[in-house]
Amino acid sequence: MKFWRQRKDEELDTEIRNYIDEAIRDRLARGESPDEARANALREFGNVGLVKEVTRAMWGWASLERLGQDLRFGLRMLFKQPGFTLIAVLTLALGIGVNTALFTGFNLLLRPRPIKDPETIINLERRGGKSGSFSYAEYIALRDQAQSLSVWLPTYGDLFLLGETTTGVAPEVVEGTFVSEHYLSALGGQMRLGRFFSAEENRVAGREAVIVLSHRFWQRRFAGNPNIVGQSLLLNGKPFTVIGVTNPAFVGLAMEMPDLWAPLMMRSAMLSANTEDFHGAHPDWFGDPEAQWLRLHARLQPGRTFAEAQTELQALFSRLPRTEKNTEPKVTIELTPYSGQELRRESVRSTLALALSASGLVLLIACSNLANMLLARTAARQKEIGVRLALGASRSRVLRQLLTESLLLAGLGGVAGALLAWWSCELFMPGLLAHWDGRDFARMAMSVAPDWRVLSFAFLLTLLSGFAFGLIPALRATNPNLIAVIKDDSAAFGGRLARSWLRNGLVVVQVALCLMLLIPAGLLLRGLSKALAADPGFAAKNVLVVFYSLEHSGYDEPRAQVFHQQLQERLQYLPGVAKVSPSFSNVGRATIILPAERGVSEQRFEPAAFRRVSEDYFAAIGTSLAQGRDFTAEEARASAPVVIVSETTARQLWPNENPLGKTLRAERRLRNGDLKIELPAAQVIGIAHDAQTQKVGEIPQLFFYAPSLAQKWGIEASFLVRTTVEAAHMIELARKEAFALEPVLRLYAFTMEESIRGASDVSKTRNASDLTTGLGALALALAALGIYGVLAFSVAQRAREIGIRMALGARASSVQMLVVKQAMRLVALGIAVGLPCAIAVAHVLRSLLLGLSATDPIAYSGVALLLLIVALIASWAPAHRAAQVDPMIALRRQ
């Protein structure tokens, strides 16, 4: 082995010499003098030589004997300086730990589901039709003809209302899934109590009212009652018999397990949330080819490939009769692997990229910090390294030893980081998933214990980090001025290193990277706080929102109209209620058309948002009118041709004119291509103050209010309740009144302030703000540590110079200022380098800023000031130490 390694080293040396000789000959042929040719060839060889030296150093690890020697010596050196080792390991543990923790969260989406052979399950999705689902007839046809798929798993998820017979107890909204009788056995699930559905119970539509409870729901709602099997539960007002409870590990195909499972054929017996049911036209879920409601999964036949299944299913699906009445493109079928399907969502991929990119910056800062620490450490070991090189040790041998120590540090930091990530995930992951994506971790029935993906990710980060922070210091340390080192001239190596561009450059990089995290964090925080503190254009305080749905209550349209009116009256007569207004619909979109007049042709403005409101809407929401008047009750009932526009809309449509009395028309194109006239020829009767009617922090450029339509009452409705007391105190009173009218009711009551804080755009901004703020704070702490380390090392290496300055009359304050100026220069340069990158990152996140400019000067100046303050704090201790240098002691140093 030794002879073979010696031959390899000799071959590498010969290759290096041949490379230099050939370069010299080429330059001599170009007319350069011998001295110039040799000097230029050696300079040209620099980068290639470094690669060969590093390659030779790593090749030496192939010998187990040499590797063992390097490891033993490296461990002795690390334990010899426990303070340095501890700080380095903790720094790296933070960098690797935060990256591994974030990856662990996303790894939950990658992990195989706790079901039998998840890699053989595929997801079928309809492309180009009305929905991604399939009709029951299509499912039967594909199931009976497909040869490449074995077990088919049709499902349909829905919300159920679990009724209560106890007076005053509100029903609970639970999640359920209609499944086939093969669902449990095909996925390898087991029962804890009772049994699963039989084929007979899934044969006749609407006949077998039986359910199976999930283990979690059984424990939470029924306290693990062993006698639950055989009991009757009310779902949507219909009695169902519990026939079993699943095993705790069984989740099913959904990312989060439902509360219960029901036979697929019971779908026809359950009231739907579709408006067709409300108006009495109940769809034939099993016979109507237009009723596309089934989600389809299936398992590949043994020996068949995914490509074969795709080809066969596409051919079968193309031959099925088409009955869709739309103008959409040709309908196709798409097969995708079931495993990892969550990562195919664009929102998940963008969140993953944002999180890992931000945490990657923290790791880069940690590596820069460690590189600086190793530079300082090798400077202290300059005599040892110089003597070894002078006594004949090859550069690759010393380089290998230093890299071994760096990788040992990285290994210790990687182990500590993985343990930190595991502990933090166990502690915080349930709350983070609920906060970020609204997921219930308990429903996922998954463990955050590291698997091979997490361990591989942590190992790769550890390896890359070891080379990232160890290679440059090792190369720098193994190229000293040997004569100066042997003479013990510290200024030749350590002093030069203290003032080198490399150490200062690493600090500049840390500050720049830190800025790339802190600027987005500052913008997001400022955008969030500014949007929530700004006047939304209406008085959100003391407004209660009562939303409810009659989808499970079995109401027809006449009964629903009566219920709406009775509930409005009950809410109006509650003590502490000032005004109640129905909120008929969400914001719609239309085109505003101004008729031709006085020689001006017809004008069109789009897209314009609008809302239909009642006569009490403005009083209930607290939006005042700048000009004109409100709708009357008669105008609201008759849907009179009148309209109220916002101030911004009035300025755009009629600049420098009085908009009152003007006429406009509004129309919109429906999905089927038909044109619907929202307002035939409406007169402007009022100008409302601008309000954030669509998105928090954003005033729409075109917005108008139209009188409500009587037929807008639907299966779902909501009321705005203006109160004279704290709105939160009225929630229970409103719930009692609603349930007194109808016990089987899905009801949500919350304050308008809660609605604003919980809006989807606000939640996205808050989540991104939490991520960047946490990582930015960690990056700032690491950058401060880096500034402190550079200044402390600089003061130690320049002790003699500082002593001379003080001996010549320099004051302590001047010496302190010298050190502080060095820190300020580094931070200022880091800000200058990182600012363009931070601006680019801010523009990527501008959709999350809630109307704030991506170049907001307050956020940028605040972050810059924060960095300068942190730099001042970090430089205080080294500056104070420099001012305490004794000139006599410093002058005696060699």
Side-chain angles (χ1 to χ4, degrees):
M1 176 64 74
K2 290 185 178 180
F3 173 76
W4 181 71
R5 285 288 305 122
Q6 183 178 359
R7 290 292 303 273
K8 287 294 182 182
D9 291 344
E10 290 174 357
E11 291 174 7
L12 189 59
D13 290 336
T14 302
E15 187 179 348
I16 293 173
R17 286 195 298 270
N18 292 339
Y19 178 88
I20 297 175
D21 291 342
E22 184 179 351
I24 292 174
R25 284 195 297 271
D26 289 342
R27 293 185 174 277
L28 288 173
R30 279 183 264 169
E32 295 184 5
S33 66
D35 291 340
E36 289 177 340
R38 183 172 180 78
N40 291 333
L42 289 173
R43 188 179 304 112
E44 183 180 297
F45 166 72
N47 293 333
V48 177
L50 285 178
V51 173
K52 293 182 181 294
E53 290 286 354
V54 174
T55 303
R56 175 185 287 178
M58 290 189 294
W59 192 260
W61 286 325
S63 170
L64 295 179
E65 181 181 354
R66 293 183 181 183
L67 178 60
Q69 291 175 354
D70 291 341
L71 290 175
R72 287 192 297 272
F73 184 78
L75 287 173
R76 284 201 303 269
M77 294 302 297
L78 293 181
F79 286 121
K80 191 176 180 180
Q81 295 178 306
F84 166 84
T85 303
L86 180 61
I87 294 176
V89 168
L90 288 177
T91 300
L92 194 58
L94 289 175
I96 293 179
V98 69
N99 280 269
T100 305
L102 286 173
F103 182 79
T104 300
F106 288 105
N107 182 57
L108 294 176
L109 307 179
L110 288 168
R111 294 182 102 163
R113 306 297 292 146
I115 58 180
K116 178 184 177 182
D117 300 330
E119 67 279 357
T120 65
I121 295 180
I122 60 174
N123 174 59
L124 290 80
E125 192 165 359
R126 184 193 203 93
R127 293 294 186 186
K130 295 188 298 185
S131 68
S133 302
F134 299 87
S135 68
Y136 187 77
E138 289 171 330
Y139 153 62
I140 295 298
L142 293 175
R143 183 197 66 183
D144 293 343
Q145 299 178 49
Q147 301 298 315
S148 57
L149 302 176
S150 57
V151 180
W152 286 74
L153 301 169
T155 61
Y156 177 77
D158 204 353
L159 296 178
F160 301 104
L161 210 61
L162 180 63
E164 287 282 358
T165 57
T166 305
T167 304
V169 177
E172 178 184 356
V173 177
V174 298
E175 297 183 23
T177 305
F178 295 97
V179 298
S180 66
E181 66 273 14
H182 306 296
Y183 191 76
L184 183 79
S185 58
L187 299 178
Q190 301 291 330
M191 297 296 296
R192 175 65 180 270
L193 297 175
R195 61 175 178 85
F196 205 67
F197 312 123
S198 64
E200 183 62 30
E201 288 167 334
N202 241 328
R203 191 181 308 277
V204 180
R207 189 181 68 181
E208 303 292 340
V210 292
I211 55 172
V212 171
L213 306 181
S214 70
H215 186 274
R216 176 183 175 275
F217 182 64
W218 172 58
Q219 290 285 349
R220 179 182 65 81
R221 181 62 188 255
F222 303 102
N225 180 10
N227 299 317
I228 189 67
V229 175
Q231 291 191 16
S232 180
L233 301 179
L234 287 178
L235 291 178
N236 299 352
K238 183 178 182 65
F240 278 74
T241 302
V242 178
I243 63 171
V245 177
T246 59
N247 201 53
F250 183 69
V251 180
L253 290 172
M255 178 59 67
E256 301 174 48
M257 74 174 75
D259 295 312
L260 54 90
W261 289 273
L264 189 69
M265 302 305 288
M266 284 302 296
R267 177 68 182 88
S268 61
M270 303 298 287
L271 293 168
S272 171
N274 293 341
T275 55
E276 291 86 353
D277 286 355
F278 175 74
H279 292 295
H282 298 278
D284 182 359
W285 297 108
F286 298 98
D288 185 1
E290 290 295 318
Q292 298 165 4
W293 56 283
L294 275 176
R295 302 294 300 176
L296 295 182
H297 292 83
R299 192 181 293 279
L300 282 172
Q301 286 277 16
R304 305 302 291 268
T305 65
F306 180 83
E308 291 174 346
Q310 174 70 64
T311 303
E312 181 192 23
L313 266 294
Q314 182 57 57
L316 289 175
F317 192 70
S318 63
R319 292 197 295 267
L320 295 179
R322 298 270 80 86
T323 59
E324 292 153 329
K325 302 173 183 179
N326 55 52
T327 58
E328 295 178 341
K330 182 180 178 181
V331 179
T332 61
I333 189 171
E334 181 179 348
L335 274 64
T336 55
Y338 170 72
S339 299
Q341 61 181 336
E342 283 286 319
L343 286 181
R344 287 190 283 273
R345 290 167 48 197
E346 179 61 31
S347 60
V348 173
R349 292 199 302 270
S350 60
T351 303
L352 173 63
L354 170 66
L356 291 183
S357 298
S359 61
L361 293 179
V362 174
L363 183 59
L364 286 177
I365 294 174
C367 289
S368 299
N369 236 331
L370 286 172
N372 255 333
M373 293 173 64
L374 287 178
L375 282 171
R377 185 168 179 263
T378 52
R381 297 173 60 185
Q382 59 182 299
K383 191 172 184 66
E384 170 209 333
I385 296 172
V387 169
R388 293 178 65 183
L389 292 172
L391 291 177
S394 66
R395 186 185 185 189
S396 62
R397 179 67 184 86
V398 180
L399 187 65
R400 186 172 72 244
Q401 179 59 56
L402 294 178
L403 283 177
T404 301
E405 295 177 19
S406 300
L407 291 175
L408 279 172
L409 272 179
L412 293 173
V415 172
L419 292 175
L420 178 64
W422 186 15
W423 171 79
S424 60
C425 287
E426 289 278 3
L427 192 61
F428 301 114
M429 186 61 68
L432 287 176
L433 283 174
H435 181 64
W436 267 78
D437 203 20
R439 296 190 184 277
D440 186 348
F441 186 73
R443 286 180 180 266
M444 298 174 71
M446 298 187 73
S447 171
V448 295
D451 60 3
W452 67 269
R453 293 186 184 87
V454 174
L455 294 177
S456 300
F457 181 80
F459 175 76
L460 183 62
L461 281 186
T462 300
L463 191 63
L464 293 177
S465 301
F467 279 104
F469 68 75
L471 187 57
I472 293 178
L475 291 173
R476 188 67 181 271
T478 54
N479 189 30
N481 185 334
L482 293 181
I483 297 177
V485 170
I486 297 301
K487 290 181 177 180
D488 200 18
D489 186 359
S490 64
F493 186 40
R496 174 166 53 90
L497 186 58
R499 294 183 291 272
S500 72
W501 62 267
L502 180 57
R503 285 184 58 79
N504 293 337
L506 287 172
V507 174
V508 170
V509 168
Q510 291 181 51
V511 174
L513 294 174
C514 187
L515 195 73
M516 291 174 63
L517 284 172
L518 289 177
I519 289 294
L523 288 171
L524 290 167
L525 280 173
R526 177 161 162 73
L528 186 63
S529 61
K530 186 177 179 181
L532 293 179
D535 181 10
F538 53 86
K541 188 176 178 59
N542 293 343
V543 175
L544 181 67
V545 181
V546 179
F547 171 83
Y548 58 93
S549 172
L550 296 168
E551 61 186 291
H552 302 311
S553 305
Y555 279 47
D556 56 14
E557 188 170 353
R559 285 188 62 201
Q561 300 299 329
V562 174
F563 176 84
H564 296 317
Q565 295 169 5
Q566 289 178 340
L567 181 58
Q568 182 175 358
E569 292 174 359
R570 282 175 173 260
L571 293 175
Q572 183 66 68
Y573 290 120
L574 283 176
V577 172
K579 187 69 69 175
V580 177
S581 171
S583 181
F584 291 99
S585 65
N586 294 323
V587 174
R589 295 276 181 175
T591 299
I592 294 178
I593 303 170
L594 299 185
E597 60 178 5
R598 285 184 284 178
V600 180
S601 59
E602 183 180 88
Q603 302 178 67
R604 302 175 70 89
F605 297 85
E606 59 182 353
F610 71 95
R611 184 190 295 274
R612 290 195 175 273
V613 300
S614 69
E615 70 276 12
D616 297 320
Y617 174 80
F618 291 103
I621 197 67
T623 299
S624 59
L625 298 181
Q627 298 181 53
R629 64 174 179 84
D630 198 350
F631 300 123
T632 65
E634 181 59 32
E635 288 171 337
R637 282 193 296 270
S639 300
V642 290
V643 66
I644 296 175
V645 299
S646 68
E647 289 179 303
T648 299
T649 304
R651 286 192 295 267
Q652 287 202 47
L653 300 185
W654 303 282
N656 304 318
E657 294 184 56
N658 184 4
L660 294 180
K662 297 289 186 179
T663 303
L664 61 82
R665 189 169 83 251
E667 62 185 32
R668 64 188 177 99
R669 186 73 60 179
L670 301 179
R671 291 185 178 181
N672 60 7
D674 295 342
L675 188 67
K676 180 180 180 181
I677 306 300
E678 291 290 344
L679 294 173
Q683 182 183 33
V684 178
I685 62 170
I687 312 299
H689 286 298
D690 289 332
Q692 300 174 11
T693 54
Q694 294 176 273
K695 186 176 180 181
V696 177
E698 182 179 291
I699 301 296
Q701 294 301 305
L702 293 172
F703 196 91
F704 64 88
Y705 301 89
S708 60
L709 299 174
Q711 63 267 29
K712 280 296 182 179
W713 288 110
I715 194 170
E716 294 180 348
S718 61
F719 288 105
L720 299 176
V721 182
R722 167 69 60 181
T723 65
T724 58
V725 296
E726 188 69 32
H729 298 160
M730 302 294 297
I731 292 178
E732 278 306 314
L733 290 176
R735 289 176 62 85
K736 287 180 180 180
E737 293 297 328
F739 287 123
L741 279 175
E742 175 52 62
V744 183
L745 184 69
R746 184 158 62 92
L747 177 73
Y748 304 96
F750 46 87
T751 67
M752 180 63 73
E753 293 170 317
E754 291 174 339
S755 176
I756 294 175
R757 290 194 299 268
S760 60
D761 49 345
V762 174
S763 297
K764 291 179 182 178
T765 300
R766 183 180 291 110
N767 293 337
S769 175
D770 291 344
L771 174 66
T772 54
T773 301
L775 295 178
L778 182 57
L780 185 61
L782 291 173
L785 182 61
I787 294 171
Y788 169 82
V790 165
L791 295 180
F793 179 75
S794 177
V795 168
Q797 293 296 321
R798 299 172 64 184
R800 184 179 176 84
E801 172 199 335
I802 294 172
I804 293 175
R805 288 175 178 269
M806 299 188 71
L808 293 177
R811 292 178 297 177
S813 58
S814 300
V815 174
Q816 287 180 320
M817 188 58 63
L818 181 70
V819 177
V820 172
K821 282 183 179 178
Q822 182 182 356
M824 294 300 104
R825 283 196 298 268
L826 295 177
V827 173
L829 186 57
I831 291 175
V833 171
L835 194 58
C837 300
I839 293 175
V841 174
H843 276 85
V844 172
L845 299 176
R846 63 183 179 274
S847 62
L848 299 174
L849 298 181
L850 300 179
L852 186 72
S853 170
T855 55
D856 180 65
I858 297 178
Y860 281 80
S861 57
V863 169
L865 181 61
L866 176 63
L867 278 172
L868 292 173
I869 292 174
V870 169
L872 279 174
I873 297 173
S875 63
W876 180 86
H880 180 72
R881 189 179 302 117
Q884 303 301 314
V885 170
D886 189 333
M888 297 304 298
I889 296 176
L891 290 174
R892 291 194 190 103
R893 294 183 58 179
Q894 297 298 322

